[in-house]
Amino acid sequence: MFILRGHAGFDLANLLSLGSKALAAMTSLLVRLNTWPCPNGHEILDHRRTRCMKCNNEVAADPICNSYGLKLRTKGNFLKQWEQACSHLASGISLGQLHLTFICDVEDLAAGEQVLAPLTNLPKLKACTIRLGRLRNRDLASLAERTSQKMTSTFIPGSGFPFELLPEEIRLRVLQFTHIGPNGPYHDRYEDLFVESGKLIKNLLDSRKDFLVVKYIDRHRHIYKVYLDITQTLATILAGKDLRDLHFHLGGFQDLRSWLEQQVMGETYDSTVSNKYPRTPLNYVERFIMRDPANFKPPYVTSFNNRPYMSHPWVKTAGKMGHARRSQSVSPDRVGLLEAKINDDQATSKSPSHGSLGKINVKPIVLLSMFIAIAAFSIYLINYTTRGWISVFKSGSEYQVHAPLQDIVTWDQHSLFVRGERIMLYSGEFHPYRLPVPGLWLDVLQKIKALGFNAVSFYTNWGLLEGREGDFSAEGIFALEPFFQAASKAGIYLIARPGPYINAESSGGGFPGWLQRTNSTMRTTGYLRYTENYVRNIASIVAKAQIVHGGPIVIFQSENEYSYGTPGIQFPDNEYFAAVKKQYRDAGIVVPLISNDGGPYGLFAPGTGPGAVDIYGHDGYPLGFDCANPSLWPEDKLPTDYNTLHQQQSPSTPYAIMEFQAGSFDPWGGSSFKNCTKLINEEFARVFYKNNYAAGIKIFNLYMIYGGTNWGNSGHPGGYTSYDYGAAIAEDRTVSRVKYHEIKLQANFLKVSPAYLTAKPEAPKVRSYTSSTALTVTRLVGNVTSFYVVRHEIYSSTASINYRLTVPTSSGNIDVPQLGGSLSLSGRDSKIHVTDYYLGGPSLLYCSAEIFTWKKYPNKEKTILLLYGNLGETHEAAFKDVIFDDQSAYELVEWEGEIKTSTTGDMIILNWTVTLKRKVVRVGQKLFVYLLDRNDAYNYWVLDVPGPSPFNSFAVWNARSVIVRMSFPQWKGIRPGYLIRTVDLDPPRMLLTGDLNETSVVEVIGGVPPSFNALAFNGRSVSLHRKGSDVLEGFVPFLPPKLTIPKLTDLVWKCVDSLPEILASYDDSAWPQANLPYSNNTVRSMTTPVSLYGSDYGFHTGNLLFRGRFTAQGKEETLKLETQGGTAFAVSVFLNQTYLGSFSGNSAQAASNLTLTLPDLTASQDYFLTILMDNMGLDENFIVGEDASQRPRGILNYDLSGRHQSAIKWKITGNLGGEYYRDRVRGPLNEGGLYAERKGYHLPKAPTADWMRRKPTEGIPSAGVGFFTTSFALDVPTSYAGTPVRYDIPLSFFFTNTTTTPKGRTSNFRAQLYVNGYQYGKYVNNIGPQTAFPVPEGILNYHGMNYIAISLWAMDAGGAKLENVELVSTAVIQTGYREVEMAPGTTDEWKERQGSY
């Protein structure tokens, strides 16, 4: 450990001169700026003296602090040097491990702000102890709140602070006892000090169990008696308290340090001799070291009397705490002192199993050592409790202690910490397997980052990664490493959710089909042996990408929605859940484990026994999944009890919703994702998401933020190919939905509101804060700041309600608005009002408009605040602690309409009506307030400049941010500027990347560094029509490409029969025999002589075919056939070449019973039955014990009239090779069992030369399957008039619905679309609803040839045809995104498959 102390006269040159190795070695740094050297260089002068204690020389001419006024002088070099020193620290120190202590005396709030500014712009420290002296109580409390909001670090009041007067509601994290000597504020009244401090601490500890107490004793040897009394007082108060953290700091005086060193070494104490010290047995300290002493180190005790911690005898032999994964039992005598009752002259500790440890008679001074031991142990025990894996509980006569695994991601009851910084994890769900183009993953992640999110949750799909038991393959499009790299580049933390069960509207809920052959109940202990290979492999991949190894993964979820069980089954099964956790822990997962309960049921919350997770989470889908009536919000669907349930179920962890509705899936025959987008729209986001904020949500994941595509048969039978989900980012990756921009406003607000992270929700109330009984308000109470979430009492109300707001503030209760008018809440809307909201200097005393973002720019001494409201609304904001200039309290920089103002003291009130045109008001000297219409607020983007390692692009509170407005000239209404992706700095240019769909005005209103005078957008210089020290603005032209998209019906198509199996000449000798006399299927017992379940023969995906041979007796008249393929499946039956009939499917049936009439059969003649059916995917396994994923696909039963079932001999096929699938690139589900698929004709450059020329719009003339192929080139421009330009032009295949046959009935057929070998669409004409199939660049070759295939399965005797098929661009985007690499396999040429049939 390296500790540096700097003095005030120390010009910081020594710090600035430290090299990178020295900086990297630092773990603790103390900078003291209230002492300075005398002219002779004696660095011993403190702020109480004007002459050197050694040579009596007077102080330097320009000291930092003047002892006769303590006015911080800012005209000298100090501030500049201090800023340089902080920059130097940021450049070389691994700040995630540095504990910085900063001490300085100042006279007033402004001086405190100035001296703290460089600190608050450092990247996040592990901890920061700030001590500012000589401030008024009011100023100190205000500065404490503001600094803690900006740094989320420890804040320590300085000397002279009357802590016994501290209002309890301020609830500072740290309480300091300081300067108790003759120069301190409590000289000659120690008695009062004990009484008042004891009362305060006791009251705070009684009301909160996470209070952090710092004990600081100043350098006065005569106060030993005071010290002992305080120790005794605290020890009595602390007995039995469950503190979150305890930091015991001994102040700097030699005698006390020497006494400590000697007393822990066991020297004799003579009370009559002042230089002798009390004897304290070493075992008092050792008793609290629960692990091997060689592995023990209290992590936050950094020094005694400024000596390195490791120099002290009782820890000199200790090493750093190891990251052990094992659990160990600790005998109660090691923890018995936690239950000690400390008296004046004795300490007694009893063990639950070993009885009394004995009565130990000690002198009062021994209490000191005991308190030190308690402090050290508390640091160890409680600090690691906040890291989540130390849960102590009694089990008989033992305490089970789970050792910590890492210390980068920690938490308390309020929120997560990442590298010591308190954060809200605002996340969106995105499944990389639903976008099989790794080159586009960064595109989606950047669009998520641009929302203001800092995280993404992702599933992995077991069924795609282990298509055959024991054959795990995560390569190519299934490799996760590129996804992790993209997340790191974008600055997105990841929540890993690999299941094994994921649900996710995926086939089998992510289960591989081969599980149907296992004789086990899914999601119970018996099935875990089948998960071992998958878990071991996927955990190995994920473990390497954990944040502890430099990756982006910060949280891990094992299992998913394990919340429901059938009667008669053990549920919930703690042993099972614990075993799943253990699998992942044993495989190297060390980040916190979180759950996703299917609702707020409290299952496996911390403290619930075996299987309990570190952090409890649940999901919520309040409006369900019926998009048929998108304007209907049913009654009582708004969750109003979330916070109450959280406090009952998991009060020790941050409130987490691991899946909250951000759209809806849509079933076969549904109303389309267009309706789902309307149902879960921007109004839903305003009402429901803000309701979650009112409940105190701190880990929030929106499902889905980008849905993607169920390509290659990967979806469940309850949904079709598209998984658009009505998400904020559409399936084609466009960001044109208003919901995207609404969510951006909310996420950015929370990103700049650290006070929200520790604010505590009150119960929702009607008319407590507003004048209307039609409104409900939930107040979240912070240390100083409060948030008021206002909504309609009837949440679905479409009425507009006028109201007044009455709220308590630091200036008393205030009725808003004060300057006239009334507030209003539109229908299906919700607002967040704030009080005492810190803005980096001034504060919002109250504000009725909603905050989008704010940012303080120290180099400009300027703060920008963006407020917004709905058009025509009246709003009011009051600003306090405003620094006025010499001329006016405010200035109207831009305005339209009237702005009412009032100025009182250091407070300014603004009252305005929201107009289309923004208003800009300068408040005081340096606060610029933008008053926006909501639709205009959508035009603004907040981007973080990449910081130093290890933060890079990851969001941190004090990141350097840029605020950019992108808008369309002259446009009015809801049409935001398209997208700003990233920002970087290349002096003197600012570099922006983004996307355009129209010529736009780009205006940088905040974050322009000094001397920057140029702007580049996507690498091209922007012609600026306005620039200055504060703004850069210019036009970015949209350059429309000349794009030619081929008309598909004009192309040459080739066709081949893809159901040759009905021909007498077809050879099925290579087909697998269906001859298994049993099945391990646990859901349905066989009712046929042999199993005809596809999965029993390794066929789990796509089309299944059966051929049944029998010799006729001439009396057979009917065939009864029961089949099951999942919702919307179909089946067609042929006898030789005679079409018998079909079940064409519907949106309700997963199985069918057909009775088919046979033609006259000739006795003794052999006949073949050919049965083609669709496997629409395996059912999900949501309810434990139901084993829905085991429901078989295939023939369940049959009856050939007059014959025994054994008369028919069966063969079966599906995809070529079954579980030994041939296409290792596209995975185990992409192909089905159609003849053309088995031959690989869907792959590029198949041998089509000898096929007939025929178009899918011509179709086939009879029931059966036709397979059509064509090729075409695309040449999407890469330049405009010689200038390099990248375009993102989403393309979709559109199928025109064939509504009727010649007889006036819906045409019964289904088609599958293949693009360069990837099955990217299943179109079902008679069910729907999907007709558009987006195919991304990377699957489509935008700069070369593309091979397209369409299978057409006709189920009407007269055949079928496509009415039309088109390739259409859905948007034309000029993009700043990089060139997209082709997905694997898209350019490979077809090769004949050995053994194909």
Side-chain angles (χ1 to χ4, degrees):
M1 179 173 292
F2 178 21
I3 299 178
L4 175 68
R5 293 191 64 188
H7 293 273
F10 176 59
D11 64 2
L12 303 171
N14 290 344
L15 177 59
L16 289 168
S17 66
L18 288 174
S20 58
K21 290 186 178 179
L23 289 174
M26 277 192 182
T27 58
S28 178
L29 171 65
L30 186 149
V31 178
R32 181 168 183 145
L33 298 173
N34 58 355
T35 60
W36 60 91
C38 76
N40 291 332
H42 300 135
E43 296 182 0
I44 57 175
L45 189 67
D46 69 24
H47 68 277
R48 298 183 182 89
R49 293 177 170 84
T50 60
R51 291 183 177 274
C52 178
M53 291 183 290
K54 283 195 173 184
C55 64
N56 204 37
N57 273 311
E58 292 194 7
V59 304
D62 188 24
I64 302 302
C65 303
N66 183 304
S67 62
Y68 297 102
L70 296 173
K71 176 71 175 179
L72 178 67
R73 300 184 181 183
T74 60
K75 296 181 179 179
N77 294 325
F78 162 67
L79 285 180
K80 182 177 180 180
Q81 292 175 344
W82 179 225
E83 290 175 359
Q84 292 173 346
C86 288
S87 298
H88 188 54
L89 285 174
S91 68
I93 288 180
S94 178
L95 291 164
Q97 71 177 23
L98 178 65
H99 184 166
L100 175 66
T101 301
F102 177 78
I103 302 174
C104 183
D105 284 348
V106 296
E107 182 183 60
D108 56 27
L109 188 62
E113 289 279 2
Q114 287 179 296
V115 79
L116 291 185
L119 281 178
T120 56
N121 285 281
L122 276 174
K124 182 59 196 168
L125 303 163
K126 180 174 184 178
C128 185
T129 302
I130 302 170
R131 185 173 158 223
L132 296 180
R134 308 299 176 179
L135 286 181
R136 294 176 302 162
N137 183 26
R138 175 173 175 267
D139 289 340
L140 183 62
S142 174
L143 193 59
E145 169 68 10
R146 297 175 185 187
T147 305
S148 64
Q149 286 180 357
K150 294 192 70 173
M151 302 188 70
T152 59
S153 298
T154 300
F155 184 88
I156 301 182
S159 60
F161 181 63
F163 56 86
E164 76 277 12
L165 302 179
L166 181 68
E168 183 175 342
E169 61 269 18
I170 290 179
R171 301 193 178 203
L172 291 173
R173 293 183 60 223
V174 178
L175 185 64
Q176 181 192 27
F177 298 81
T178 179
H179 288 209
I180 313 178
N183 293 311
Y186 298 104
H187 180 53
D188 294 332
R189 60 185 191 93
Y190 300 144
E191 201 77 26
D192 295 338
L193 168 67
F194 302 148
V195 173
E196 295 302 324
S197 64
K199 287 180 180 178
L200 174 66
I201 295 172
K202 188 175 188 306
N203 290 339
L204 289 171
L205 288 174
D206 286 343
S207 63
R208 301 181 66 200
K209 293 184 179 296
D210 64 338
F211 198 78
L212 174 63
V213 177
V214 171
K215 181 73 170 63
Y216 182 94
I217 298 298
D218 202 14
R219 53 169 70 100
H220 305 288
R221 70 174 63 188
H222 66 276
I223 64 168
Y224 287 164
K225 176 64 167 64
V226 177
Y227 184 26
L228 295 178
D229 289 342
I230 292 177
T231 301
Q232 177 180 333
T233 301
L234 286 176
T236 303
I237 293 172
L238 296 175
K241 296 295 182 183
D242 179 20
L243 292 179
R244 263 303 195 192
D245 201 356
L246 182 80
H247 187 168
F248 195 93
H249 185 173
L250 302 179
F253 53 100
Q254 176 68 25
D255 289 346
L256 181 58
R257 185 197 74 200
S258 300
W259 167 74
L260 281 170
E261 291 179 352
Q262 294 187 44
Q263 60 92 13
V264 297
M265 290 188 293
E267 293 189 2
T268 303
Y269 171 69
D270 184 346
S271 61
T272 63
V273 182
S274 61
N275 291 327
K276 294 295 181 180
Y277 308 101
R279 180 181 184 277
T280 304
L282 269 177
N283 64 346
Y284 280 8
V285 175
E286 190 274 339
R287 182 169 290 130
F288 290 92
I289 303 175
M290 303 192 322
R291 305 189 62 81
D292 182 350
N295 288 328
F296 176 76
K297 173 192 169 186
Y300 288 137
V301 176
T302 56
S303 66
F304 289 88
N305 193 29
N306 308 309
R307 291 184 57 186
Y309 173 83
M310 297 304 291
S311 70
H312 288 273
W314 69 282
V315 295
K316 190 172 290 185
T317 61
K320 191 173 182 180
M321 180 65 191
H323 295 327
R325 293 178 188 152
R326 65 188 184 275
S327 300
Q328 70 170 17
S329 299
V330 181
S331 59
D333 65 338
R334 298 288 183 106
V335 294
L337 286 181
L338 286 177
E339 301 172 349
K341 293 182 178 179
I342 303 175
N343 300 313
D344 289 342
D345 58 352
Q346 65 184 26
T348 303
S349 177
K350 293 185 178 181
S351 162
S353 62
H354 297 135
S356 174
L357 290 175
K359 186 176 291 186
I360 305 172
N361 293 319
V362 296
K363 295 183 178 181
I365 196 68
V366 175
L367 295 174
L368 171 63
S369 63
M370 297 179 67
F371 188 78
I372 294 172
I374 293 173
F377 175 69
S378 299
I379 293 166
Y380 168 78
L381 174 64
I382 300 163
N383 174 62
Y384 283 133
T385 301
T386 65
R387 296 172 185 174
W389 300 310
I390 180 162
S391 58
V392 181
F393 58 92
K394 290 184 179 181
S395 177
S397 61
E398 295 184 338
Y399 288 78
Q400 188 72 21
V401 180
H402 299 285
L405 303 180
Q406 54 84 46
D407 60 1
I408 296 179
V409 184
T410 60
W411 67 93
D412 61 11
Q413 75 273 34
H414 297 299
S415 75
L416 285 179
F417 296 83
V418 176
R419 292 191 175 95
E421 179 175 29
R422 188 184 289 280
I423 68 169
M424 176 174 180
L425 207 63
Y426 207 125
S427 171
E429 190 81 10
F430 165 35
H431 304 152
Y433 70 84
R434 283 187 157 119
L435 180 60
V437 184
L440 286 174
W441 292 342
L442 179 61
D443 171 62
V444 175
L445 291 169
Q446 285 182 343
K447 289 169 179 173
I448 296 171
K449 176 78 170 187
L451 285 167
F453 287 28
N454 58 5
V456 157
S457 168
F458 71 98
Y459 281 136
T460 61
N461 190 320
W462 181 13
L464 291 172
L465 300 178
E466 193 177 4
R468 174 170 56 89
E469 185 177 5
D471 179 16
F472 180 92
S473 178
E475 300 174 353
I477 59 174
F478 303 113
L480 290 171
E481 290 83 358
F483 183 67
F484 301 152
Q485 293 164 7
S488 294
K489 184 175 179 64
I492 289 286
Y493 293 122
L494 293 179
I495 303 170
R497 306 205 294 159
Y501 180 73
I502 61 173
N503 209 61
E505 291 75 62
S506 289
S507 179
F511 280 169
W514 53 263
L515 283 176
Q516 287 202 347
R517 294 199 306 275
T518 62
N519 190 12
S520 298
T521 300
M522 299 298 100
R523 305 175 75 185
T524 64
T525 54
Y527 109 114
L528 287 178
R529 63 184 181 274
Y530 301 110
T531 70
E532 290 177 355
N533 184 60
Y534 168 71
V535 168
R536 182 173 60 253
N537 281 281
I538 196 66
S540 175
I541 295 169
V542 170
K544 295 173 185 175
Q546 294 174 106
I547 195 169
V548 295
H549 301 305
I553 295 173
V554 294
I555 292 183
F556 187 95
Q557 179 190 308
S558 58
E559 249 289 356
N560 183 55
E561 296 173 324
Y562 181 82
S563 308
Y564 308 92
T566 58
I569 193 169
Q570 182 178 347
F571 184 89
D573 186 345
N574 291 67
E575 298 299 326
Y576 162 73
F577 212 81
V580 175
K581 283 178 50 184
K582 185 177 185 300
Q583 282 184 317
Y584 284 115
R585 287 296 191 211
D586 290 347
I589 301 302
V590 299
V591 294
L593 293 183
I594 197 166
S595 62
N596 180 35
D597 208 348
Y601 310 131
L603 297 179
F604 305 105
T608 56
V613 294
D614 299 316
I615 301 173
Y616 173 75
H618 66 84
D619 65 20
Y621 294 88
L623 290 192
F625 307 102
D626 183 1
C627 303
N629 299 293
S631 62
L632 176 63
W633 286 9
E635 294 182 7
D636 301 323
K637 292 297 184 180
L638 185 74
T640 58
D641 57 353
Y642 272 175
N643 179 60
T644 300
L645 293 172
H646 170 66
Q647 295 304 325
Q648 294 171 356
Q649 296 165 353
S650 190
S652 65
T653 65
Y655 184 30
I657 300 182
M658 291 303 295
E659 294 181 22
F660 194 80
Q661 188 161 21
S664 172
F665 67 82
D666 194 48
W668 287 105
S671 57
S672 83
F673 284 117
K674 183 178 181 180
N675 272 10
C676 295
T677 304
K678 294 178 181 178
L679 176 68
I680 312 299
N681 62 2
E682 65 277 7
E683 293 177 333
F684 177 93
R686 290 171 199 154
V687 175
F688 283 83
Y689 299 169
K690 291 177 185 178
N691 182 67
N692 290 339
Y693 310 149
I697 187 74
K698 304 300 168 53
I699 300 174
F700 189 38
N701 182 48
L702 294 179
Y703 190 102
M704 304 283 299
I705 198 67
Y706 171 73
T709 307
N710 289 324
W711 65 276
N713 304 302
S714 60
H716 76 138
Y720 39 92
T721 304
S722 175
Y723 199 65
D724 179 274
Y725 215 78
I729 304 174
E731 183 181 7
D732 62 4
R733 296 175 295 104
T734 55
V735 291
S736 301
R737 292 171 177 169
V738 177
K739 176 168 60 177
Y740 177 89
H741 300 276
E742 176 61 36
I743 295 171
K744 179 178 66 172
L745 299 184
Q746 298 180 25
N748 275 283
F749 164 63
L750 293 172
K751 183 179 177 182
V752 297
S753 302
Y756 170 78
L757 295 176
T758 54
K760 295 184 177 180
E762 294 179 344
K765 298 176 182 177
V766 177
R767 201 160 184 177
S768 290
Y769 300 105
T770 72
S771 58
S772 174
T773 57
L775 301 180
T776 292
V777 180
T778 302
R779 181 188 182 194
L780 294 96
V781 184
N783 293 336
V784 173
T785 304
S786 287
F787 304 83
Y788 299 83
V789 183
V790 182
R791 64 168 173 85
H792 290 273
E793 170 65 11
I794 300 175
Y795 83 100
S796 60
S797 172
T798 57
S800 181
I801 303 296
N802 294 330
Y803 65 99
R804 299 185 64 80
L805 184 71
T806 303
V807 288
T809 72
S810 58
S811 298
N813 289 349
I814 296 179
D815 190 42
V816 181
Q818 299 189 74
L819 304 185
S822 64
L823 308 181
S824 59
L825 184 69
S826 301
R828 294 194 174 179
D829 198 0
S830 178
K831 296 183 184 298
I832 301 178
H833 305 312
V834 300
T835 59
D836 292 295
Y837 185 94
Y838 177 63
L839 295 173
S843 296
L844 278 167
L845 181 64
Y846 64 83
C847 185
S848 70
E850 295 194 84
I851 299 170
F852 175 17
T853 191
W854 69 273
K855 188 66 180 179
K856 182 176 181 179
Y857 296 101
N859 57 350
K860 301 284 187 183
E861 297 184 355
K862 173 182 179 179
T863 298
I864 292 177
L865 169 66
L866 272 62
L867 304 176
Y868 67 93
N870 292 329
L871 188 64
E873 289 180 344
T874 295
H875 283 290
E876 189 170 280
F879 301 85
K880 71 171 189 174
D881 299 330
V882 177
I883 300 175
F884 299 139
D885 62 16
D886 296 333
Q887 297 180 353
S888 63
Y890 67 92
E891 177 188 2
L892 300 181
V893 181
E894 296 179 28
W895 75 98
E896 177 181 90
E898 182 183 7
I899 298 181
K900 299 177 183 178
T901 63
S902 174
T903 303
T904 304
D906 62 352
M907 184 171 70
I908 298 176
I909 302 175
L910 301 180
N911 181 292
W912 72 98
T913 299
V914 178
T915 57
L916 282 175
K917 186 176 180 180
R918 75 184 182 189
K919 301 174 176 67
V920 182
V921 183
R922 177 183 56 79
V923 175
Q925 290 182 342
K926 297 296 183 180
L927 175 60
F928 288 80
V929 184
Y930 286 69
L931 309 176
L932 309 174
D933 168 42
R934 179 192 299 275
N935 294 336
D936 188 28
Y938 292 158
N939 290 314
Y940 289 78
W941 307 81
V942 184
L943 308 164
D944 293 338
V945 179
S949 179
F951 303 100
N952 301 320
S953 297
F954 292 99
V956 293
W957 159 245
N958 53 358
R960 181 185 295 180
S961 298
V962 173
I963 303 174
V964 182
R965 181 178 188 259
M966 175 190 275
S967 60
F968 301 134
Q970 309 304 321
W971 181 263
K972 296 181 180 180
I974 306 178
R975 193 180 176 190
Y978 194 74
L979 175 67
I980 301 289
R981 292 177 179 268
T982 66
V983 63
D984 211 340
L985 303 179
D986 181 23
R989 298 192 308 163
M990 178 174 288
L991 310 179
L992 296 177
T993 67
D995 294 6
L996 307 168
N997 57 359
E998 189 174 314
T999 293
S1000 302
V1001 176
V1002 172
E1003 177 190 12
V1004 183
I1005 66 168
V1008 180
S1011 76
F1012 273 58
N1013 56 17
L1015 180 66
F1017 190 86
N1018 295 344
R1020 301 178 68 237
S1021 294
V1022 175
S1023 178
L1024 299 175
H1025 57 262
R1026 187 160 68 106
K1027 61 182 179 180
S1029 60
D1030 297 324
V1031 68
L1032 298 173
E1033 182 179 12
F1035 282 100
V1036 179
F1038 177 74
L1039 307 174
K1042 294 181 180 180
L1043 175 66
T1044 301
I1045 299 176
K1047 186 175 181 181
L1048 298 184
T1049 54
D1050 289 346
L1051 301 176
V1052 174
W1053 289 80
K1054 293 293 189 76
C1055 177
V1056 69
D1057 179 14
S1058 195
L1059 196 62
E1061 292 87 354
I1062 67 175
L1063 301 175
S1065 59
Y1066 179 77
D1067 180 8
D1068 66 3
S1069 59
W1071 282 38
Q1073 297 278 352
N1075 56 9
L1076 289 174
Y1078 65 91
S1079 175
N1080 284 331
N1081 192 285
T1082 58
V1083 172
R1084 188 183 186 281
S1085 299
M1086 283 171 44
T1087 53
T1088 55
V1090 295
S1091 173
L1092 296 175
Y1093 301 160
S1095 288
D1096 281 343
Y1097 300 93
F1099 303 119
H1100 315 300
T1101 182
N1103 298 112
L1104 283 171
L1105 283 100
F1106 299 85
R1107 293 197 91 206
R1109 177 180 177 179
F1110 65 95
T1111 302
Q1113 294 180 347
K1115 298 180 180 180
E1116 299 87 351
E1117 295 180 351
T1118 60
L1119 174 67
K1120 293 182 179 180
L1121 187 67
E1122 182 182 358
T1123 54
Q1124 182 168 268
T1127 305
F1129 92 110
V1131 59
S1132 290
V1133 184
F1134 297 81
L1135 180 67
N1136 293 352
Q1137 291 180 250
T1138 302
Y1139 176 54
L1140 298 182
S1142 295
F1143 170 71
S1144 58
N1146 57 57
S1147 60
Q1149 286 184 252
S1152 78
N1153 285 281
L1154 287 176
T1155 299
L1156 302 168
T1157 301
L1158 302 178
D1160 293 338
L1161 305 185
T1162 303
S1164 302
Q1165 184 172 326
D1166 288 343
Y1167 289 88
F1168 288 88
L1169 288 168
T1170 301
I1171 300 172
L1172 169 64
M1173 63 173 293
D1174 216 350
N1175 178 354
M1176 305 299 284
L1178 304 182
D1179 293 310
E1180 294 171 304
N1181 212 96
F1182 190 67
I1183 300 175
V1184 178
E1186 191 175 79
D1187 272 1
S1189 65
Q1190 305 300 85
R1191 292 168 184 160
R1193 301 295 186 247
I1195 298 174
L1196 305 183
N1197 205 355
Y1198 62 91
D1199 177 65
L1200 181 62
S1201 61
R1203 304 295 299 276
H1204 190 274
Q1205 285 183 320
S1206 60
I1208 303 178
K1209 306 300 180 185
W1210 294 97
K1211 288 190 174 185
I1212 182 174
T1213 193
N1215 62 300
L1216 186 65
E1219 292 171 10
Y1220 293 84
Y1221 54 99
R1222 299 297 182 88
D1223 190 346
R1224 302 291 292 188
V1225 172
R1226 297 169 184 83
L1229 301 182
N1230 187 63
E1231 299 175 12
L1234 291 179
Y1235 171 79
E1237 292 178 302
R1238 303 197 307 268
K1239 287 291 186 179
Y1241 294 157
H1242 60 294
L1243 301 175
K1245 298 186 177 180
T1248 64
D1250 296 333
W1251 295 6
M1252 73 174 71
R1253 290 184 59 162
R1254 192 173 184 89
K1255 300 177 182 180
T1257 50
E1258 297 174 290
I1260 57 177
S1262 59
V1265 181
F1267 194 80
F1268 302 83
T1269 70
T1270 192
S1271 298
F1272 60 83
L1274 287 174
D1275 186 16
V1276 175
T1278 57
S1279 65
Y1280 181 89
T1283 301
V1285 180
R1286 271 278 300 150
Y1287 293 98
D1288 181 6
I1289 304 177
L1291 297 174
S1292 293
F1293 289 83
F1294 279 79
F1295 289 72
T1296 301
N1297 185 263
T1298 305
T1299 56
T1300 60
T1301 65
K1303 295 183 179 180
R1305 293 180 292 114
T1306 299
S1307 182
N1308 296 304
F1309 70 86
R1310 52 190 58 199
Q1312 292 183 132
L1313 170 69
Y1314 308 82
V1315 181
N1316 291 322
Y1318 286 79
Q1319 196 259 71
Y1320 237 83
K1322 186 186 288 286
Y1323 170 72
V1324 181
N1325 184 70
N1326 56 299
I1327 299 177
Q1330 187 174 6
T1331 58
F1333 297 87
V1335 179
E1337 182 179 5
I1339 299 298
L1340 273 168
N1341 187 345
Y1342 276 31
H1343 308 288
M1345 293 299 298
N1346 292 276
Y1347 178 84
I1348 309 299
I1350 295 176
S1351 65
L1352 180 64
W1353 174 6
M1355 285 169 277
D1356 292 325
K1361 65 177 181 179
L1362 295 179
E1363 192 69 25
N1364 192 23
V1365 58
E1366 299 177 273
L1367 182 63
V1368 177
S1369 65
T1370 53
V1372 178
I1373 309 298
Q1374 184 176 311
T1375 182
Y1377 191 63
R1378 68 191 188 194
E1379 185 177 348
V1380 178
E1381 304 86 357
M1382 292 296 294
T1386 50
T1387 57
D1388 295 346
E1389 296 189 10
W1390 176 89
K1391 295 180 181 179
E1392 185 173 359
R1393 291 180 163 183
Q1394 298 298 316
S1396 63
Y1397 46 84

